[in-house]
C-alpha cells in the first residue's frame, strides 16, 4: 500500500524527480534521476550525430565513385594508375597519428601537460605528412594528364579523396587550436570535452581512410 502523501515527502510527489535540478540548488548533477545528463554526455552525443552525418556524406561520395569507376572516357583506368607505395606510406602516417592521438587522450586523462602536448604534436606532424603526400599524388596525376576533368572516374576519385584530405586539413587546424588552448587554459572541463570531440573526429577520419584505401586503391589495382 502506498504511503500517504504529505508535505514532507516530495519524492513521492515526483518519484522520478522529473523537473528537479540536482539537489535543489539549481544545478544539474547529471546523475540518474537528479537532472539532465552531464555536459560531457550531451556534447559527446551531439558530436556523434555530426559524425554520423559526415559518414552519410562520405557514403554518397563512395557510391558515386563505385558507379563511375568504369567511366574512363578512353582515359586512364584505375589499373596501374596509383602508386601503392606512396599510398601505403600515407596509410601508415594516418594510423600512427591516430595512435598518437589516443596517447594524447591518455595523457590528458591523467593531466600530464607535457606528454599531452608531445602526443598532439606527433599527431599533427604525421597528419601534415599525410596531407603533403596526398597533394603530391594529386599534382603527379594532373601532370600526367589524369586530372579531375579527364573523365567521370577521375572526377569521382578526386572528389572522394579530396574530401577526405580537406577533413584532415581542417583537423590539423583544429589540432593546432587545441594545443594552444591546452597550453593557455590547462585541463579545464570544457577543454577536455573539446579534446574528446577532436579525438572522435580524428579516429573517424582514420576509419574512413581504411575504407577508402581498400575500395579505391586496392580494389582499383586488382
Amino acid at each position: 500500500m502506498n504511503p500517504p502523501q504529505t508535505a514532507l515527502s516530495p519524492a513521492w510527489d515526483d518519484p522520478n524527480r522529473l523537473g528537479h535540478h540536482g539537489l535543489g540548488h539549481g544545478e544539474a548533477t547529471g546523475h540518474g534521476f537528479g537532472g539532465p545528463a552531464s555536459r560531457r554526455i550531451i556534447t559527446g552525443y551531439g558530436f556523434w550525430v555530426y559524425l554520423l552525418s559526415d559518414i552519410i556524406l562520405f557514403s554518397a561520395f563512395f557510391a558515386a565513385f563505385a558507379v563511375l569507376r568504369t567511366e574512363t572516357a578512353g582515359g586512364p583506368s584505375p589499373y596501374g594508375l596509383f602508386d601503392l607505395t606512396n599510398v601505403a606510406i600515407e596509410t601508415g602516417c594516418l594510423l600512427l597519428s591516430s595512435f598518437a592521438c589516443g596517447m594524447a587522450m591518455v595523457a590528458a586523462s591523467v593531466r600530464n601537460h607535457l606528454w599531452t602536448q608531445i602526443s598532439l604534436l606527433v599527431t599533427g606532424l604525421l597528419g601534415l605528412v599525410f596531407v603533403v603526400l596526398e597533394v603530391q599524388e594529386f599534382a603527379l596525376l594532373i601532370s600526367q594528364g589524369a586530372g579531375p576533368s579527364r573523365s567521370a572516374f577521375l572526377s569521382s576519385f578526386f572528389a572522394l579523396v579530396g574530401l577526405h584530405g580537406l577533413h584532415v586539413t581542417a583537423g590539423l587546424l583544429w589540432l593546432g587550436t587545441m594545443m594552444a588552448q591546452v597550453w593557455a587554459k590547462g585541463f579545464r572541463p570544457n577543454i577536455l570535452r573539446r579534446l574528446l570531440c577532436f579525438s572522435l573526429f580524428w579516429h573517424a577520419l582514420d576509419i574512413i581512410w581504411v575504407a577508402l584505401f581498400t575500395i579505391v586503391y586496392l580494389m582499383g589495382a586488382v
Side-chain angles (χ1 to χ4, degrees):
M1 183 176 179
N2 293 331
Q5 180 177 351
T6 67
L8 298 177
S9 57
W12 176 249
D13 296 337
D14 185 2
N16 292 327
R17 299 192 62 75
L18 298 176
H20 293 266
H21 297 283
L23 301 177
H25 302 295
E27 181 179 355
T29 63
H31 299 292
F33 299 129
S38 66
R39 272 284 187 87
R40 180 183 174 86
I41 294 176
I42 293 174
T43 302
Y45 178 79
F47 200 74
W48 270 110
V49 173
Y50 158 72
L51 288 180
L52 289 175
S53 68
D54 225 16
I55 289 173
I56 292 172
L57 174 66
F58 272 102
S59 299
F61 277 70
F62 270 111
F65 177 81
V67 171
L68 301 174
R69 183 167 171 265
T70 57
E71 303 297 329
T72 59
S77 68
Y79 306 103
L81 181 64
F82 306 125
D83 181 1
L84 291 183
T85 302
N86 184 70
V87 178
I89 296 174
E90 290 180 55
T91 304
C93 288
L94 204 58
L95 292 176
L96 288 175
S97 75
S98 191
F99 175 77
C101 183
M103 295 303 296
M105 293 305 298
V106 172
S109 67
V110 296
R111 309 296 191 268
N112 189 311
H113 194 281
L114 177 62
W115 280 108
T116 300
Q117 292 286 13
I118 290 176
S119 300
L120 289 176
L121 179 62
V122 173
T123 302
L125 290 177
L126 290 170
L128 183 62
V129 172
F130 173 85
V131 172
V132 170
L133 290 175
E134 192 164 81
V135 170
Q136 286 181 345
E137 179 191 21
F138 283 2
L140 180 62
L141 289 174
I142 293 173
S143 68
Q144 294 174 345
S149 60
R150 179 63 184 84
S151 65
F153 152 65
L154 287 169
S155 296
S156 62
F157 165 77
F158 275 91
L160 176 57
V161 179
L163 179 65
H164 181 270
L166 285 177
H167 276 70
V168 175
T169 303
L172 290 177
L173 296 176
W174 188 359
L175 173 61
T177 304
M178 289 312 307
M179 290 181 68
Q181 291 191 353
V182 170
W183 180 269
K185 301 179 180 179
F187 297 109
R188 294 182 183 176
N190 58 337
I191 301 299
L192 291 175
R193 284 197 299 272
R194 293 168 191 169
L195 272 178
L196 174 64
C197 291
F198 169 76
S199 176
L200 291 173
F201 179 76
W202 200 257
H203 291 313
L205 291 183
D206 205 4
I207 294 171
I208 292 171
W209 176 258
V210 170
L212 201 152
F213 172 72
T214 304
I215 295 174
V216 175
Y217 290 102
L218 288 185
M219 293 179 67
V222 176

